[in-house]
Amino acid sequence: MAAIEILWQALVQALHSLFTGAPVVREIVSLSLRVSGLALLLTTAIGIPAGAWLGLHRFGESLVARLGRRLFIAFLYTGMGFPPVVVGLLVYLMLSRTGPVGWLGWLYSPQAIVIAQTIIAFPVVAGFTMAAVTGVNPELRQQLRSLGATNWQATITIIKEARFGVTVAVIAGFGSIISEVGAAMMVGGNITGHTRVLTTGIVELTRMGLFADAMALGIVLLSITLVINLMMQQLQGRALD
Amino acid sequence: MPTTVYLLDDVMKSYDSRVVCHIGHLEIYKGEILGIMGPSGAGKSTLLRMLNFLEPTTSGTIRFNGLSVNGNGSVPMDVRRKVTTVFQEPMLLSTSVKGNVAYGLWLRGQKGGGCLLEQALERVGLDHLSKARAQTLSGGEKRRVALARAMVVAPEVLLLDEPSANLDPYNVSLIEDLVTSINREQGTTIILVTHNVFQARRLSQRVMLMLEGRMVEVGETERLFTQPQDPRTLSFIRGEMVY
Ligand SMILES: Nc1ncnc2c1ncn2[C@@H]1O[C@H](COP(=O)(O)OP(=O)(O)OP(=O)(O)O)[C@@H](O)[C@H]1O
Ligand SMILES: [Mg+2]
């Protein structure tokens, strides 16, 4: 059978199993969304404040302070393109039985994937947030202070002013983890009905020759990333207003 | 004897060891409108930032109601909140007009300022635009929103940095009337920075001239305009000064 025919058949079956809600497919989609959703929640909770702080806080005018800030930002930008498998490896080493937090027994569990994805998405969320708040007129803080804002209130207002850019940060963070395969494979173990997410599911089902199911997952993943990209475009357009 | 709100002694501000503002001795009185004139780069905005506790002085002392406020970090919040500035740029928040005007009240946790808001919007002639997005307003309307936003917090001292520069006569006279009436009705001390000598003369009880970071002369408006003591003041008010 020609590859193109397999593809076609798989596509038809995929749509079928998607719409009839084949349990395997449903389970994987659901786990994927829950794991990446939780990871996103965690990373947002740390990444937005961290990005805002980096973007707004001046660590002093000394050479050391300025160099330190530059270096940290360089790390952050590197982190945005950091290979997820390397994060996977580090998390693996941490969680493995002899690792520092091996006693948690989280290796090959959904929690492990959440941890890895939280780390992967962090630089993306923090980096984009930093860029967004840096784009807000620096004199605005003085105006807010002058109107009686505490430093803390002024920071909240500035994040609000950068809200479109910050939303872009969150969506980009989600995009970086939902389609990530290496780390999820390494620390999750791709266990049927336990730690199988969209990406690792595609790998496994393809290996088993279940092209239709693999394709079904592929379509879901594609749809999610498509929606993410549409949202990004929409928001980035508004952020430029 | 008028009450002194600000007392400045040998106040100096420098950036990268360049002195941009140096005031030998200056008292600002409660309830007055003090006009500050001077060409671009004279250090007027810098002085306002120090008076609003936004930047520390490089040296010298500023006393506000008797309290030393040289370092900006140490000024207690309730003192800070007695002074507010309307900056040269209106810098509105990306929300509705009403949201902007309500900002200061929100900061202070004051709920139910509905009546205050309506009043402020009415006074700047923008009650019909209260739901409009601030970004969509014209230049003059934006300035008026910024003014209303400062008015609602009922400051003891209002610092105005070129509140009507580059505006049409209609907006200029609207803003000037507003400045006068805020001062009369609330007894608000107003420090008005302008490089328009006519505006300074129209609105202020006292005027001060700054040149290249220095205070050249300060005094009763009519006296300063009719009998300036410094030749530079004379050439500035005659519009002969090249800048
Ligand atoms: N943050 C800063 N860092 C370095 N230099 C500054 C800073 N702020 C102001 N200056 C300099 O201080 C001088 C006085 O500036 P300032 O804004 O106080 O002038 P101004 O009298 O308000 O002028 P304008 O009428 O144009 O607004 C200028 O030469 C300016 O370049
Ligand atoms: Mg200025």
Side-chain angles (χ1 to χ4, degrees):
Chain A
M1 205 162 34
I4 192 81
E5 267 174 69
I6 296 176
L7 193 71
W8 179 247
Q9 273 183 16
L11 197 63
V12 173
Q13 274 182 48
L15 288 172
H16 182 255
S17 63
L18 261 187
F19 286 109
T20 54
V24 186
V25 173
R26 218 172 36 204
E27 201 174 87
I28 293 175
V29 172
S30 144
L31 181 71
S32 216
L33 289 177
R34 275 182 291 143
V35 163
S36 296
L38 183 57
L40 185 71
L41 217 63
L42 292 173
T43 213
T44 299
I46 324 165
I48 291 182
W53 190 68
L54 271 176
L56 300 173
H57 190 77
R58 288 293 164 271
F59 302 84
E61 289 305 307
S62 74
L63 191 65
V64 179
R66 278 190 297 200
L67 270 179
R69 183 168 183 272
R70 285 264 178 86
L71 201 68
F72 197 89
I73 290 170
F75 271 121
L76 202 64
Y77 283 145
T78 312
M80 288 169 90
F82 206 66
V85 270
V86 180
V87 174
L89 174 62
L90 294 175
V91 174
Y92 183 96
L93 292 174
M94 299 290 284
L95 292 178
S96 67
R97 221 147 28 88
T98 52
V101 286
W103 50 270
L104 283 170
W106 279 4
L107 195 62
Y108 303 135
S109 74
Q111 292 95 302
I113 312 180
V114 171
I115 293 176
Q117 294 193 341
T118 303
I119 298 172
I120 293 165
F122 174 79
V124 178
V125 174
F128 274 106
T129 299
M130 186 185 75
V133 298
T134 317
V136 175
N137 184 350
E139 281 170 35
L140 181 65
R141 175 177 289 273
Q142 288 203 330
Q143 172 69 83
L144 302 177
R145 294 282 281 157
S146 160
L147 286 164
T150 61
N151 256 321
W152 180 235
Q153 286 174 322
T155 301
I156 303 260
T157 304
I158 291 169
I159 294 176
K160 270 195 203 159
E161 283 299 291
R163 58 187 171 271
F164 290 120
V166 173
T167 314
V168 166
V170 174
I171 296 172
F174 191 65
S176 74
I177 51 180
I178 192 77
S179 57
E180 182 285 321
V181 50
M185 186 76 90
M186 285 175 78
V187 303
N190 200 14
I191 301 163
T192 320
H194 184 47
T195 59
R196 183 158 299 156
V197 292
L198 280 168
T199 50
T200 59
I202 294 174
V203 174
E204 182 64 17
L205 295 172
T206 306
R207 202 152 55 193
M208 288 159 64
L210 298 172
F211 299 122
D213 284 342
M215 187 66 78
L217 295 185
I219 290 172
V220 175
L221 188 55
L222 218 71
S223 313
I224 293 174
T225 37
L226 187 71
V227 169
I228 288 173
N229 277 307
L230 287 175
M231 284 163 78
M232 291 269 277
Q233 274 182 27
Q234 183 74 14
L235 283 164
Q236 271 173 330
R238 292 191 69 176
L240 295 177
D241 287 349
Chain B
M1 264 305 271
T3 318
T4 303
V5 180
Y6 283 103
L7 182 65
L8 281 72
D9 247 314
D10 215 13
V11 168
M12 209 255 292
K13 179 74 191 178
S14 54
Y15 294 112
D16 307 321
S17 69
R18 186 170 70 97
V19 178
V20 300
C21 183
H22 191 171
I23 307 287
H25 178 87
L26 176 66
E27 283 179 44
I28 299 171
Y29 307 122
K30 191 169 180 58
E32 74 168 333
I33 300 185
L34 172 69
I36 300 181
M37 313 183 292
S40 182
K44 307 182 293 293
S45 299
T46 305
L47 176 60
L48 289 195
R49 286 198 298 276
M50 289 191 287
L51 294 177
N52 200 173
F53 330 117
L54 296 169
E55 278 178 27
T57 59
T58 306
S59 68
T61 54
I62 297 182
R63 287 183 171 278
F64 174 71
N65 288 336
L67 180 78
S68 167
V69 292
N70 314 324
N72 58 343
S74 58
V75 183
M77 205 57 199
D78 59 323
V79 175
R80 297 189 76 99
R81 286 185 169 168
K82 292 194 164 119
V83 184
T84 190
T85 308
V86 176
F87 284 79
Q88 252 171 315
E89 295 289 319
M91 281 189 292
L92 302 183
L93 301 169
S94 47
T95 173
S96 66
V97 167
K98 197 169 177 176
N100 270 280
V101 178
Y103 186 72
L105 299 177
W106 175 76
L107 291 175
R108 289 159 177 76
Q110 273 172 256
K111 298 263 156 49
C115 177
L116 271 172
L117 292 183
E118 306 291 310
Q119 266 176 21
L121 283 168
E122 208 168 299
R123 291 190 72 174
V124 297
L126 291 174
D127 34 343
H128 60 293
L129 286 175
S130 75
K131 293 207 170 63
R133 293 190 55 74
Q135 265 80 1
T136 63
L137 301 184
S138 74
E141 289 164 343
K142 280 183 183 158
R143 295 277 182 86
R144 277 142 61 192
V145 174
L147 203 55
R149 178 170 66 175
M151 270 164 52
V152 289
V153 303
E156 191 179 312
V157 179
L158 181 59
L159 309 175
L160 302 174
D161 201 345
E162 301 278 7
S164 66
N166 308 316
L167 292 183
D168 60 301
Y170 168 76
N171 272 296
V172 172
S173 78
L174 206 149
I175 287 173
E176 288 188 358
D177 288 348
L178 215 58
V179 170
T180 323
S181 58
I182 293 170
N183 171 257
R184 289 229 184 95
E185 291 160 25
Q186 268 95 22
T188 310
T189 308
I190 294 178
I191 301 172
L192 169 78
V193 162
T194 176
H195 52 229
N196 180 338
V197 291
F198 303 104
Q199 183 171 63
R201 191 170 186 173
R202 273 196 299 273
L203 300 181
S204 12
Q205 278 105 51
R206 289 196 309 147
V207 233
M208 160 177 155
L209 174 67
M210 283 183 79
L211 285 180
E212 294 170 345
R214 299 256 168 187
M215 179 172 79
V216 172
E217 189 170 347
V218 61
E220 302 277 324
T221 305
E222 276 320 300
R223 202 277 298 147
L224 188 131
F225 275 93
T226 50
Q227 302 163 301
Q229 270 156 15
D230 194 294
R232 291 169 296 174
T233 311
L234 185 64
S235 70
F236 186 84
I237 59 183
R238 279 185 178 166
E240 292 166 354
M241 194 161 280
V242 186
Y243 58 85

